[in-house]
Amino acid sequence: MHVQASHFIDGDYAEDTDGRAFDSINPATGEVIATLHAATPAIIERAMAAAERAQREWASWLPVERARVLRRASDLMRERNDALAKLETLDTGKAIQETLVADPASGADALEWFSAQAAGLSGESVPLAEGFAYTKREPLGVCVGIGAWNYPIQIASWKAAPALACGNAMVFKPSEMTPLSALKLAEILMEAGAPKGLFNVVQGFGDVGAALSTHAKTAKVSLTGSVPTGGKVYAAAASGMRHATMELGGKSPMVVFEDADLEDAIGGAMLGNFYSTGQICSNGTRVFVQKSILEAFLTRLAERTKTIRLGDPLDPETHLGPLISEEQRRKVLFYVEAGKSEGARLVTGGGVPEGEAFAKGAYIEPTVFADVTDDMTIAREEIFGPVMSVLAFDTEEEVIARANDTPFGLAAGVFTRDLARGHRVADALEAGICWINTYNLTPVEIPFGGVKQSGFGRENGRAAMEFYSQLKTVQVALGKVDSPY
Ligand code: NDP
């Protein structure tokens, strides 16, 4: 694939071949689809300087003018949906039937929705004894976005849209495993009329992310990544009193009560474990099922899991493509072995599919373990692959305590026909987002993010605007200054 250059800076592609070369690989075939260069210090300086310049200009625009650019960008992204989806499938290995509906589409939703937020940006007015005060939301400055590899264009858009809506500029570093689609977002924003330098992309590994996180011009860092990386990036941001949003990993519980609609609960559990070949931070990887329906749940779950079609991710009939890399498959297989050796019952999957079609990609079967107990490795650690753990429970009180017994707190789900119980359990679960009778839906209108070790700050929803802006209070006196001096 022809890539014009590795980086996108100040409105155009940029290259510095002194940077370490790395390949972007199609995980389904092992083929190199592009060779890029990691950012050198000179590239990082250029990107930060361009962003700083552009931000000053952008912040002087009327909010409604900024809104128009974001709205045009969302239209362009929708027009290019099919090409962008194909690019995302080539770069991530995710099935085209997913990327056509979930990746650029969700990015376009974010650009569109935050364009409306930009236009409606306002503060509050507070009456006081002798006068009043008003507040206004001001931009932070240059924001750094750092992305994971599972939803590249979505992550870039979810960060860029609210950041730009608030009047900030952004320098974005994609995961080096999926470097391509963020460049397309940069092209789109420029075509939509953004000032040059407003959204820049620099490529590289963790050291580039670290250099951006500690750069003197950086006002905020927003990371989507793992908990250990989150710890490092948060510490780096704190060193300069920078703002931070941490969207990190999880080990989220999904609770299925005996009165739940069984087919819906199974569908939710499958989507919440197998979509994107299981590489989703909010996946409900601990599925607690009430004992009275456990065997019925497992029987039907196994039947439906066996209908999942693995294969070429570009084939529209394929449900599951490969994992992102061979290394990730080794990690997932390690957990499958841990599940077996620690006494979990393998219900289905657990292996590597055989045959020519799977020979070159990091494919793995969708896997279900039953008889999982809370102390097992597969019930405690994030796997980031299509491995579901089913745990049995008796009572509501018991399952809430067990569901919360984790350092993570990204997401949670509850399936029940009892409305009061649904709300009661959602209330009690320690998670940033809870779903009742559905799972893993992330429409742009609702805030998304974690508690506990899963991070802080929120993406999407009006809440995201608070995390990309700072409040200024202005008090206005209408009387005389009352001074004893
Ligand atoms: P990593 O934490 O390994 O990497 C995330 C990003 O941070 C990458 O771009 C990475 O670069 C960069 N990075 C690594 N070290 C540093 C550093 N010291 N300073 C700054 N940046 C750094 O995550 P993965 O890419 O492996 O993604 C999987 C993880 O992401 C999972 O744990 C998953 O749960 C989480 N995730 C969370 C989501 C959420 O919204 N809560 C959504 C999606 C994923 P490089 O790629 O070169 O290492």
Side-chain angles (χ1 to χ4, degrees), residues 146-151 154-155 158-159 173-177 204-211 213 221 223-230 232-233 236 246-250 279-282 328 331 382 384 410 448-450 454 459:
I146 302 175
W149 38 258
N150 57 343
Y151 276 86
Q154 182 195 79
I155 291 172
W158 281 19
K159 295 187 190 308
K173 187 200 89 66
S175 164
E176 93 285 350
M177 280 188 278
F205 297 78
D207 60 328
V208 172
S213 310
V221 188
L223 169 80
T224 297
S226 61
V227 172
T229 302
K232 287 185 211 157
V233 176
M246 296 289 132
E247 294 290 353
L248 310 176
Q279 302 162 111
I280 299 185
C281 51
S282 49
Q328 187 65 12
K331 184 181 156 198
E382 185 181 49
F384 231 55
L410 185 53
F448 178 79
S454 293
E459 300 200 300

Side-chain angles (χ1 to χ4, degrees), residues 182-223:
L183 295 166
K184 297 292 169 192
L185 173 62
E187 279 181 22
I188 284 174
L189 283 163
M190 291 306 119
E191 274 182 63
K196 288 178 181 178
L198 191 69
F199 180 77
N200 308 275
V201 179
V202 299
Q203 307 289 355
F205 297 78
D207 60 328
V208 172
L212 293 170
S213 310
T214 48
H215 196 281
K217 291 190 189 348
T218 300
K220 171 178 176 125
V221 188
S222 176
L223 169 80

Side-chain angles (χ1 to χ4, degrees), residues 277 310 320-323 329 332-333 336 350-353 362-367 386:
T277 317
L310 272 70
L320 287 201
L323 291 163
R329 179 161 70 177
V332 176
L333 287 171
V336 170
V352 169
Y363 287 91
I364 186 159
E365 292 169 346
T367 300

